[in-house]
Structures are given as C-alpha cells and as structure tokens.
Amino acid sequence: MKPLYVLLVVASFFTVSQVKSQLPDAPKDAAFINENTIIKDESGKRIEMKTFMELMSTNDWTVDPKMTTDGKVDYIQLRRLTPEEKEKQLSDIMSLMGESKMIGTKVPNFEMKDIDGNIISSNTIKDKVVVLNFWFIACKPCVKEIPELNEVYEQYKNNKDIIFVSVTFDPKEKVIPFIEKHDFKYPTVAGDRNVVDKFTNGFPTNIIIDKEGKYVDYIVGGFPDIGKRIESSIEKAL
C-alpha cells in the first residue's frame, strides 16, 4: 500500500491552502490534520488538539491514519516512534521543508522592527552574520531552548559582526512580559506574521545567515544541544 502522508494544520496559525503553497512537494493525497480531526491516543481515547500538539512537540510520536471503507481518513491514531523511525521522520521532515535546498541560497528581502524600535532589514544586515530564532509563546520546544540560545548570545553578544534577532507573531503586549519572565536575551520582534511566514513553516526555527546574505543553516524543531549547532554554524559563517 502506498504510504499516506499526514500534515498538521493548526487552525490559528495556518490554513490548508497556506500549507500546500508552502510545501509544493507534498503529495496531492496528503491528509491534513486540523481542529476537526478525530485524534486518539495509544489507548484509543480521543484527545484534544492541545494535548496532541504537546505530545508531537516531543518528537517521540507519529500518527497512523485509520481509513474508512471508502478510503477517507476516519481518525488519527497516535503511536510512539521507535528510535529508527524517529531518525527517519526527522530526516523526512527536513527534506519536505526544503532545508537542504535552501543552504547556500539567498534569503528573501525583509524589514522588521524590534520592540525597542530598531529596524532590522536586508540593508542593515549587510556584511553581518545573522542568527534568527522564530518562536511563539505557547510553543513548548521554543521555550525549552531559550537557555541554550541565551548561552550562545552571551558568547557572541560583543562581536559586532553578528546580529541576533528573535521573531514571533505574538503581540507585543504579551511578548514583553514573557521575555522578561524567561530572561530571553535575543533582541525581539513581536507581532510580525509577515516575516514569520516568509521564513518558516514550523517552530521553533533557527536560521543562520552569512555575510553575503545566504543561508548557512536552517534548523526546524526542538533539538538537543541546539546551542552547539548554532555556535558551529556561526563559526562557519564567520
């Protein structure tokens, strides 16, 4: 049987059409999970989308679509990944999101303003190495990696050839107390969905750009030792 691809569509963030446009290589018959999809845990109990996302954010789970007799998705069954499946799924996600195709290519033109009023744009980053972090408040993997991001920032903050920026679509009035609570060191851009949509399809995403404005690294998802990978990419870009 041909494998059925399943793509998650979170209603408050993306529409199915937006995901399809951002993932042109996705199979035409891919199944899209949204807020109306029935999702069950390992015991067969139906769970809410919030619980589903919390489980999926650990990168320990996959989903098996259960089909009706006429070939439609009846419900989605959660299943814990084996170590081999986990490694392959991560590779497949990266391939689907075009990471390998982007490395060495030019980043799109952009302009954004951080919460202190500073403009960061394609013009202001010329001849600089840029480290971008895309996140949102309710994203647990995003929050989990903050200490490591802070360590990298502290290591390079005095290097004038490096610019750090975090970007979220969450509004400024919610972002300010959040970054104060978590002591997030990166300069932060809030409420900018246009830039978020331009650069990423998943969260967290960490991007390193070289002095020529080309992608050096594009990292989607919560990973152990993310700080070390960012540091390695910064050194490569320098």
Side-chain angles (χ1 to χ4, degrees):
M1 178 183 294
K2 185 173 69 171
L4 176 64
Y5 292 81
V6 180
L7 303 176
L8 171 62
V9 180
V10 184
S12 58
F13 305 142
F14 302 105
T15 65
V16 170
S17 60
Q18 285 174 323
V19 174
K20 287 181 176 178
S21 67
Q22 292 295 325
L23 300 176
D25 295 329
K28 293 181 180 179
D29 58 351
F32 290 85
I33 301 175
N34 59 37
E35 75 280 6
N36 297 318
T37 304
I38 297 174
I39 306 169
K40 297 183 180 181
D41 63 16
E42 279 190 312
S43 68
K45 180 182 178 182
R46 184 170 181 174
I47 59 174
E48 300 295 327
M49 175 63 77
K50 179 181 179 182
T51 303
F52 170 71
M53 288 198 61
E54 289 174 351
L55 289 171
M56 293 300 288
S57 71
T58 67
N59 297 320
D60 290 328
W61 299 84
T62 188
V63 292
D64 292 329
K66 302 300 181 181
M67 314 301 291
T68 61
T69 55
D70 58 356
K72 296 181 180 180
V73 177
D74 186 17
Y75 65 91
I76 298 298
Q77 177 72 61
L78 270 169
R79 176 173 59 81
R80 190 179 291 275
L81 289 165
T82 66
E84 294 77 17
E85 287 175 325
K86 188 173 182 179
E87 182 177 352
K88 184 178 186 305
Q89 177 168 281
L90 180 59
S91 175
D92 288 345
I93 290 172
M94 292 305 181
S95 176
L96 184 61
M97 300 192 79
E99 176 192 6
S100 60
K101 298 177 183 177
M102 298 171 67
I103 305 305
T105 65
K106 282 277 190 179
V107 303
N109 290 327
F110 67 90
E111 180 173 311
M112 51 189 172
K113 182 188 295 185
D114 69 20
I115 58 177
D116 295 318
N118 300 305
I119 300 295
I120 305 103
S121 71
S122 302
N123 291 325
T124 63
I125 67 167
K126 285 182 177 179
D127 301 320
K128 304 287 186 181
V129 171
V130 183
V131 183
L132 297 175
N133 170 252
F134 293 90
W135 61 282
F136 63 96
I137 290 173
C139 169
K140 289 191 175 183
C142 301
V143 178
K144 186 177 180 180
E145 70 180 15
I146 287 176
E148 289 191 64
L149 301 185
N150 282 342
E151 288 181 7
V152 176
Y153 176 81
E154 290 291 343
Q155 181 176 348
Y156 292 100
K157 67 180 182 181
N158 294 322
N159 189 325
K160 295 182 179 180
D161 289 330
I162 304 174
I163 297 174
F164 290 85
V165 187
S166 82
V167 189
T168 177
F169 52 74
D170 286 317
K172 183 177 179 179
E173 59 268 22
K174 291 184 178 181
V175 168
I176 291 177
F178 176 87
I179 61 177
E180 289 176 350
K181 176 183 178 181
H182 294 276
D183 193 27
F184 196 9
K185 304 292 186 181
Y186 277 40
T188 300
V189 173
D192 198 327
R193 185 175 292 277
N194 288 332
V195 172
V196 170
D197 289 348
K198 181 173 289 190
F199 277 94
T200 186
N201 297 304
F203 300 90
T205 291
N206 289 279
I207 297 173
I208 294 82
I209 304 169
D210 68 15
K211 295 181 179 181
E212 296 179 355
K214 297 179 179 179
Y215 289 104
V216 173
D217 207 352
Y218 188 100
I219 314 158
V220 183
F223 293 93
D225 297 323
I226 184 65
K228 291 180 180 178
R229 176 160 173 178
I230 293 174
E231 179 183 347
S232 176
S233 295
I234 289 174
E235 293 298 325
K236 181 178 179 181
L238 289 171

